Amino acid sequence: MKKFVHAPLSLGMAFSLLFGLSGLPSHGYAAGNDLLLNPEIISGSTDRTDSGAAALNLGDNLIANPGFEDNLASWTNWGNTSSVTSPAFAGAKAARIASGEGGAGQIIPGIPSGTTYVLSGHGSVSAGTDTAIVGVDCLDANNNVLAKNTLRFNQTLYEFKSTAFTTVPGTAKLQVYIYKNADSGANAFLDDLSLKARSGVQAINKDVKAMWVWQETTSVLEDSAERSTLFQFAQDKGVNVLLLAINKTHLTTYNSQLKQFISQAHAKGIRVEAVSGEIDWGLTDKHSVGLERITDVITFNGSAASNEKFDGVHQDIEVYRNKTLWNDNKALVMEQALAYIDKAKALMSGTGMTYAQDIPRWYDGPEYTVTYNSVDKGFYKHLIDRLDWVGLMDYTDRYSDGQWQAVRDAQSEIDYAAQVGKKITVGLETIDPVTAGGDSVTFYEEGLDDLDRALAAIKAHYDGHAGFGGVAVHSYGKQKGNAYYSLPVKAVNHY
Ligand SMILES: [Ca+2]
Ligand SMILES: [Ca+2]
C-alpha cells in the first residue's frame, strides 16, 4: 500500500544524513569573494542555456517499430517470435520469443565506422534459467559479421539495460536483433528498444539520464576499481550525466585524479557536473560560502585541459529547510535565495559551464509566490527563469488513475520551462525509506521494475516537450548500500 504522505524530503537531507552517518567531512567553508562585490557583474539577467562547450546529443532511434506496437512490422522473424500484449513494458505490446531457440532482426544500412552508438532496451524471461538477448552486430557491405554487442536479461520482471559501442573498421550496416537460445524452454520478452548514434558529451536535453553521486566521490578518485564500477554501472543503466559531489579536497588534493576522472567520463559521452550545497547558502549572510565553491570550480577548470573540465556547477540549496526563518518569513527567504542565484549566474558568466539547482516538486504550490525585481509570481518560475536547468526532486512512488504521480507533478514546471527556454530534468528517489523520510517518497521497496516503468512513463509523456530535460535518479549509493546501485529488480511491486 502506498502512503499518501506529503513528504518534501530533500536531496540535501539525504546528503546530510549520508555524510553524517558515513563520518565523511562536509564541505569546506571559506571567506567571501571580492569578485561578487562588483555590481556590474551582478546582472543576473543573462540567459545562457547553451554553454558553448562541446554539447552533444543522441541521434534518432534507428530501430523501426522498436516497441513492437506494430507487431513484427520491420522485423524479420527468425523463428518462434510473435507480439504479445502481456507482459508489455511500454505501450500495448512486446515481443515474445517462445520456448526454443528463436528471434527476429532488422538491418540498418548507411552506418559509418568509428561512430559510437548506444543500444538499450527492456527485457525479461518467464524463468530465470533462461536469457533474453538484445544484440547489435556490425556488418560489412556483404553482411559479414565484424563485431557483436549484446544486452542480456535473466529476470522475470522487466529490466532496463544499456551499452555503448563504436563501429569497427569496415562497418557498413548494423543488424539489431532479439534472440533466445533453446536453453530451458522459457519465454523471453523484449520491449522499448533503442539504438542511437552518440557524439561528444551529453547535453541537457530529453535524452539525459542523470545520477547523483554523493559519498563515493573520494573512492572513485582514489581507487581505479571503484571508478570502473561506477562507469560500468552508468553504462548499464544508461546514465549519461553524473552529478558528482565535490568539496575543496577533491578540487585540490585530488586535482589530477579529478581531471583524469572527468576526461574518462567525457570519453564515454558522460557529462560531469560539480555538485555542492547547504541549506543556508541561499541566505544573504552565507551567500559568500556557496559562491566561493563556484569560484573553486572555475579555478579548477581554468587549470584543466578542455576534456578535463566540469560541464556545469550544480548546487543543492533547499532554503525551505531553514525551518524557523522559512516559517517566519517565506518571502524574505525566497528573495534571498533568488539574489544568490543572480550572483552565482554572474560569477558563472563566460565560464562555458551551466549553472543548475535542484528544487522540490511542490514549489509550484500557490502559497510559494514572491515579488522579486518587482515581478510577483511563483517561486519556481523565478528559479526556472534564472537557472540554466533544474533538477526536479519529483520524489513520489504513487500511481493512480492510470498514471504515475511523478508525471503529473512535473507538468507545471516543464510547461513553464518551455515558455522561457529552459529544461527540467525529472528526478526519482531510490534511497531507503528511513533516510528518504517515508516509503511513498522512494522506489526502494518497489525496486527496479517500477522505477524503470516510472522513468519510461516520464520520458514517454514529455517526449518532444521543449521544457523536458530527461530523467534523473537519486542516488548511486554504492557505499551505503541503500539506493540505486543495490536496488533489487523487485522487492514489492506496486504497479
Ligand atoms: Ca511496447
Ligand atoms: Ca516506496
Side-chain angles (χ1 to χ4, degrees):
M1 291 292 292
K2 289 181 170 54
K3 292 179 184 173
F4 289 76
V5 175
H6 181 69
L9 175 77
S10 62
L11 286 176
M13 189 180 295
F15 187 31
S16 300
L17 283 166
L18 290 166
F19 267 55
L21 292 169
S22 68
L24 289 169
S26 189
H27 307 308
Y29 289 177
N33 190 306
D34 291 341
L35 260 184
L36 299 162
L37 301 177
N38 180 347
E40 291 176 4
I41 294 177
I42 307 172
S43 68
S45 60
T46 312
D47 285 341
R48 283 183 309 102
T49 50
D50 182 356
S51 71
L56 267 285
N57 309 289
L58 295 172
D60 294 332
N61 192 352
L62 299 177
I63 303 174
N65 187 23
F68 305 98
E69 299 303 300
D70 295 327
N71 302 308
L72 291 185
S74 303
W75 293 88
T76 300
N77 191 340
W78 298 347
N80 285 332
T81 303
S82 59
S83 66
V84 292
T85 55
S86 180
F89 176 81
K93 297 172 187 173
R96 178 186 68 187
I97 305 166
S99 57
E101 183 181 13
Q106 57 180 275
I107 290 179
I108 301 157
I111 300 294
S113 62
T115 301
T116 300
Y117 292 84
V118 177
L119 173 70
S120 65
H122 297 80
S124 65
V125 287
S126 61
T129 48
D130 224 329
T131 303
I133 298 170
V134 176
V136 59
D137 297 338
C138 296
L139 306 181
D140 68 14
N142 298 315
N143 292 344
N144 295 305
V145 176
L146 305 178
K148 300 180 76 68
N149 303 276
T150 57
L151 304 171
R152 292 166 178 269
F153 303 90
N154 297 96
Q155 300 285 344
T156 54
L157 285 169
Y158 276 110
E159 282 183 281
F160 172 81
K161 292 193 175 184
S162 172
T163 190
F165 65 95
T166 300
T167 49
V168 297
T171 299
K173 308 171 187 177
L174 291 174
Q175 173 170 254
V176 64
Y177 62 90
I178 57 174
Y179 184 75
K180 189 180 79 66
N181 288 308
D183 292 344
S184 68
N187 291 330
F189 303 100
L190 292 312
D191 201 0
D192 209 16
L193 310 180
S194 170
L195 178 66
K196 296 180 176 182
R198 190 196 79 196
S199 54
V201 175
Q202 181 63 48
I204 300 300
N205 62 30
K206 67 183 179 64
D207 289 315
V208 162
K209 185 173 180 183
M211 180 175 75
W212 285 271
V213 178
W214 292 115
Q215 70 270 46
E216 294 84 4
T217 304
T218 301
S219 66
V220 302
L221 296 180
E222 279 184 336
D223 184 338
S224 61
E226 287 295 324
R227 190 180 306 184
S228 297
T229 299
L230 173 60
F231 285 144
Q232 186 64 50
F233 184 76
Q235 173 170 299
D236 291 347
K237 300 297 185 189
V239 169
N240 49 27
V241 177
L242 288 176
L243 303 175
L244 187 70
I246 290 295
N247 61 31
K248 278 181 173 292
T249 304
H250 300 136
L251 295 167
T252 54
T253 307
Y254 294 102
N255 184 285
S256 61
Q257 293 95 327
L258 186 54
K259 288 172 178 169
Q260 185 185 51
F261 177 91
I262 295 171
S263 68
Q264 290 170 341
H266 284 167
K268 299 172 188 301
I270 296 172
R271 177 187 187 89
V272 185
E273 301 210 354
V275 175
S276 60
E278 296 291 344
I279 63 170
D280 58 3
W281 289 6
L283 305 178
T284 301
D285 63 347
K286 292 291 174 62
H287 281 185
S288 61
V289 181
L291 296 170
E292 166 115 4
R293 183 60 45 81
I294 295 173
T295 302
D296 292 341
V297 176
I298 293 170
T299 301
F300 172 90
N301 267 19
S303 73
S306 60
N307 63 338
E308 299 170 339
K309 295 178 192 289
F310 281 108
D311 303 292
V313 170
H314 195 103
Q315 295 196 308
D316 179 31
I317 302 170
E318 297 165 49
V319 287
Y320 65 90
R321 291 177 53 221
N322 298 286
K323 282 185 181 165
T324 303
L325 281 171
W326 182 252
N327 291 334
D328 287 351
N329 194 343
K330 285 184 180 60
L332 181 67
V333 174
M334 290 189 277
E335 288 165 24
Q336 293 186 3
L338 293 169
Y340 174 80
I341 296 174
D342 285 345
K343 295 176 187 176
K345 283 295 304 267
L347 190 54
M348 295 287 296
S349 180
T351 62
M353 288 187 283
T354 54
Y355 180 72
Q357 286 194 3
D358 302 315
I359 69 172
R361 64 192 171 92
W362 46 267
Y363 266 4
D364 60 339
E367 62 270 49
Y368 307 110
T369 59
V370 62
T371 302
Y372 185 74
N373 284 355
S374 305
V375 178
D376 183 41
K377 59 184 175 183
F379 186 36
Y380 77 105
K381 293 182 177 178
H382 285 295
L383 288 162
I384 294 168
D385 286 342
R386 287 170 171 74
L387 298 165
D388 291 321
W389 67 280
V390 169
L392 184 67
M393 297 182 287
D394 201 5
Y395 295 169
T396 169
D397 66 8
R398 287 175 267 178
Y399 184 92
S400 60
D401 300 327
Q403 186 57 281
W404 295 93
Q405 184 68 36
V407 172
R408 285 191 283 265
D409 282 2
Q411 188 80 54
S412 56
E413 290 87 350
I414 292 176
D415 285 348
Y416 185 73
Q419 289 178 32
V420 295
K422 302 298 178 65
K423 301 288 187 192
I424 305 292
T425 299
V426 182
L428 298 179
E429 177 67 284
T430 64
I431 64 173
D432 70 87
V434 173
T435 310
D439 68 12
S440 70
V441 176
T442 174
F443 281 84
Y444 181 83
E445 329 87 278
E446 288 77 11
L448 278 173
D449 185 66
D450 268 3
L451 174 71
D452 286 343
R453 285 180 192 282
L455 293 171
I458 292 164
K459 287 195 284 189
H461 184 83
Y462 293 110
D463 186 46
H465 195 309
F468 180 55
V471 296
V473 178
H474 184 260
S475 62
Y476 183 44
K478 178 175 184 290
Q479 200 163 92
K480 288 285 294 173
N482 71 339
Y484 199 17
Y485 181 79
S486 50
L487 200 64
V489 171
K490 181 191 178 187
V492 178
N493 193 328
H494 290 241
Y495 182 70

